[in-house]
Structure formats: structure tokens, C-alpha cells
Amino acid sequence: MNISKQMVTLNQDIAGQEIGIPVYDIDCGQPNCKTVYIQSAVHAAEMQGSAVIYHLIRKLKALKLNANFVLVPNCNPFGRTQRAGEYLQGRFDATTGNNWNRFYHFDNEIVGRFISEFDEQLADWSEKQIVDKFRLFLLDSLNNKLNKDWGVNTAQFLNIKLQEMASKADMVLDLHTGPSSTRHIYSPEFLTEEAQWFNIETVLSIPIEFAGALDEASFTPWYRLKQALKQRGLDFDYHVDAFTIELGSQENICLAQASDDANGVIQYLAKKGLVEGQENITPKTVAVVPLSNYKTLFSQHAGMVEYIKKAGDKVQKGDVLARVLNSLEFDNDSAIVNIHAPQSGTVILHYPSAAVQVGTQLYKIAVES
Ligand SMILES: [Zn+2]
């Protein structure tokens, strides 16, 4: 294998100093092999994935590779430099409020255009020919989006530049964390069996729809293409494996856990035949939860909150999740309001701050059916 790295400039300060992202290319040396794209920290405060990429590079060196890799740690050169007090601003562009993970490009018409342009040839083409042609279509669509005369906003620019790299890959992993969170993974419905190979306790099964994130932008066009070709009686099995993986809590890295996280990723790669030579890892019990069972509890009170139930805890309906303290009521019995679990389930994450207002996303819970 051969590793090369480069700094790709996406940002600069007002004095013209270039600010880049590190991009590691690993070439397995085999012809016609698949490509795996992995990025971390597009939400800049969510840094555990960067520690995972560190371990991946070290571990891949010891394995036989049947795929090429493009690895992009700390892929957001805008968010990376925006601090609010002691913390990275993180999920949102501090200037515009845009979520850094909602401006990937999806062209709703692309499958229809592709099929009408190549209607005559499709039946004669091999699967590989169709994949190659459609990938060019996707890249062209991204290029058009960037080059339009009026420009794009910062989050769009960042997302499309990253998507240009991801679009060349057969497998896309976008590494995130929650706020105060346990590990969980978003998987498209058709990959929930395979998603369990990552050895992460909760798999959230999401519908094949585009809502702005990189995983959706990566698997949705290929899934739609498959459906459209099927309607024409053509078998087409290719799809892009794309997942968003949430690796614990923001503003935190743990190198020991990152090694375990990397082992889960490698197990997935090994099961897919993309690497060989990994030792067995201890399997965890994995629950697959439909997105409709992943519930947000919004705070109905303002105040200072003590989180009693933590990420990963099992809760029963009616359990006290948290206590909210209101300093205008200290002289009577209403100073503390208990927040109860509306349903039984597993706490996946809670809000990171003790200061909450009405409508704050206090908890996210994977509830039992
Ligand atoms: Zn995130």
C-alpha cells in the first residue's frame, strides 16, 4: 500500500493565509478496486472521528487492502476556526446559523435525465459501464452547482467540495458525535443488517430520502437509479454504502475508545471483502430502531437542569430523567420540576448544557415499540 497526503485549501483568512484540510490517500495497488471515503468533524466540535481516522491509518498498514481509501480528518476549515468562549461553535456556521451538515447537493431530476439521455444504450451496458457513466453525471451536477454565476453560501461550498471527493467512492462514512451521547449509527433501511458489523449498540434505520446530509446525498441517487432501472426490467445491484456514525460526545476525544471504534469500521470493511487479516473482535448486542421510534423530548420548562439519566441508560416510562431548578421559586415547593420519561427506552443523548429554555431538545430516546 502507498499513503500520500496533501493539504487541500478550502478557506483563507483576510490576509490571504490559506487554511486547508488534510486529505490522506491510501492506494492498495490493485486495479479496478473499490474506494472508501471517510471524513470527520464536519461539525467541528465532534472530534472523536478524527482520532478514529488516526487509528485507521495505523491499523490499515497491518492489513491486506482490497480497496483504496480517502480519509479526511477535521474536514471543516471554517467551523474549526469559529470559537464561542471556551468551545468550538461546532454544528452551525457562527455567521449564518447554517448547519454544516445540511447543504450537500441532491439533484431530484438526475435519474430521469440520465435514463432519458441513455435510453437506447442502457440495456446493452454492463453494470460497471452504468456505474461509471452515472458517477460522471453526479460529478457534473456538483460542478454545475458550484460554478453558477451567483456563487453559493459557505456551508454549500464546503459541503459540495467534500461531496466531490465522496462521490467518487463506493462507501462513505461521515463521522460525527452527539452532544452528550452514546454511540449510534444512522443506516439506510436497506443496509441495517450490514450496519450491525460496525459493532455499535444502536442502529437507527432511516428512510431513503434526502434531507441535506452527506450519507443521504451519497446513497439516495444510486438507490433511485436502481429502482428506475428495475422498472425498465434491468437488473442493477450496485449501491453506495453510506452511513453517519455518532461516536460519543462532542468536545471530547478518547484514543482508547477510538481504537475500538476503528476496529468496528475495519470489521465492516472485512465483511465486505475490502480488507483482510483482522483479528476477531468481541461482538456487542445491537438493536435496530426505526427512525419513527427515535423520539426527541423538548423541554417544557426553562431553568437549570440536572441530568439524572445519562446517555446509554435504559429508562422506564415515568422514570425521572432530569430535574429543572427555577431560582424564582426557591422560597416555596415549586423550585424543582421533575422531567419524566414519556415512554420506556434507551437514552441516546441529552443536551450538553445545564441552561435550558422552553423548546430545548433535552433528550433523544430510542423508545420501545
Ligand atoms: Zn454532527
Side-chain angles (χ1 to χ4, degrees):
M1 67 183 265
N2 177 35
I3 304 183
S4 59
K5 70 179 167 192
Q6 54 176 324
M7 284 291 276
V8 175
T9 301
L10 292 187
N11 189 12
Q12 57 188 38
D13 70 15
I14 58 169
Q17 179 71 48
E18 292 185 342
I19 303 173
I21 54 172
V23 177
Y24 291 84
D25 280 293
I26 300 178
D27 187 341
C28 71
Q30 298 182 41
N32 301 321
C33 59
K34 298 213 165 186
T35 297
V36 178
Y37 174 84
I38 305 177
Q39 70 175 33
S40 68
V42 74
H43 288 148
E46 303 176 3
M47 290 170 274
Q48 177 71 3
S50 302
V52 173
I53 290 176
Y54 161 76
H55 277 296
L56 277 174
I57 289 171
R58 296 171 73 86
K59 288 172 191 276
L60 290 175
K61 284 180 184 172
L63 299 171
K64 178 177 187 307
L65 307 189
N66 301 322
N68 296 328
F69 290 80
V70 179
L71 306 171
V72 191
N74 299 94
C75 70
N76 183 343
F78 304 95
R80 227 169 55 197
T81 54
Q82 296 177 344
R83 301 187 79 87
E86 295 169 342
Y87 300 100
L88 281 172
Q89 219 287 340
R91 282 174 67 77
F92 305 99
D93 183 335
T95 312
T96 60
N98 286 334
N99 186 322
W100 292 116
N101 189 32
R102 291 294 180 277
F103 287 86
Y104 293 95
H105 179 53
F106 174 65
D107 178 351
N108 208 21
E109 311 294 323
I110 198 165
V111 170
R113 273 209 318 279
F114 180 75
I115 290 198
S116 59
E117 183 161 340
F118 298 111
D119 201 16
E120 306 282 303
Q121 296 112 298
L122 282 168
D124 299 324
W125 280 351
S126 68
E127 184 169 283
K128 184 175 183 318
Q129 280 175 303
I130 296 176
V131 169
D132 290 348
K133 284 279 186 194
F134 190 63
R135 184 157 276 139
L136 288 176
F137 244 64
L138 288 172
L139 287 166
D140 203 41
S141 166
L142 289 173
N143 195 36
N144 290 339
K145 184 81 185 168
L146 264 190
N147 287 347
K148 64 185 188 183
D149 294 340
W150 295 89
V152 293
N153 74 45
T154 309
Q156 270 177 316
F157 174 76
L158 171 66
N159 284 180
I160 292 169
K161 294 304 282 183
L162 296 173
Q163 198 176 350
E164 283 178 340
M165 292 188 280
S167 293
K168 295 170 189 159
D170 307 280
M171 175 174 168
V172 174
L173 301 183
D174 195 10
L175 305 183
H176 287 247
T177 77
S180 286
S181 177
T182 188
R183 280 164 171 67
H184 55 291
I185 178 164
Y186 289 92
S187 166
E189 286 163 352
F190 65 92
L191 287 176
T192 53
E193 290 290 315
E194 290 96 325
Q196 298 176 47
W197 297 334
F198 286 106
N199 212 28
I200 285 173
E201 288 95 334
T202 306
V203 173
L204 298 170
S205 172
I206 60 173
I208 315 307
E209 287 167 9
F210 177 69
L214 178 61
D215 54 347
E216 300 154 345
S218 302
F219 61 65
T220 306
W222 294 101
Y223 189 81
R224 295 254 185 105
L225 177 65
K226 180 177 174 159
Q227 301 298 106
L229 292 174
K230 198 173 168 186
Q231 277 184 353
R232 302 181 149 246
L234 298 172
D235 273 342
F236 181 76
D237 281 333
Y238 182 84
H239 58 259
V240 167
D241 292 15
F243 303 94
T244 296
I245 306 183
E246 307 277 348
L247 298 161
S249 304
Q250 65 192 25
E251 292 285 354
N252 179 62
I253 68 164
C254 171
L255 281 164
Q257 278 188 299
S259 175
D260 286 347
D261 295 332
N263 286 341
V265 172
I266 289 169
Q267 176 169 270
Y268 188 96
L269 297 169
K271 295 266 192 189
K272 285 273 172 175
L274 301 175
V275 301
E276 295 173 40
Q278 186 191 25
E279 288 175 20
N280 286 341
I281 62 175
T282 311
K284 292 181 178 141
T285 305
V286 178
V288 178
V289 178
L291 193 64
S292 55
N293 279 15
Y294 188 44
K295 302 276 197 186
T296 302
L297 177 67
F298 295 95
S299 181
Q300 297 175 60
H301 309 275
M304 298 164 283
V305 65
E306 178 186 11
Y307 299 96
I308 308 292
K309 296 296 184 185
K310 309 290 188 194
D313 285 353
K314 304 271 185 219
V315 295
Q316 296 299 315
K317 180 179 178 178
D319 283 355
V320 174
L321 293 172
R323 293 191 287 231
V324 183
L325 187 63
N326 178 345
S327 56
L328 262 182
E329 310 287 350
F330 282 3
D331 56 354
N332 63 64
D333 292 338
S334 303
I336 292 172
V337 176
N338 287 331
I339 310 292
H340 299 275
Q343 270 179 266
S344 301
T346 302
V347 172
I348 300 298
L349 58 87
H350 66 70
Y351 194 63
S353 167
V356 301
Q357 59 185 15
V358 173
T360 295
Q361 294 192 7
L362 209 53
Y363 279 91
K364 285 197 175 187
I365 299 176
V367 301
E368 293 163 8
S369 298

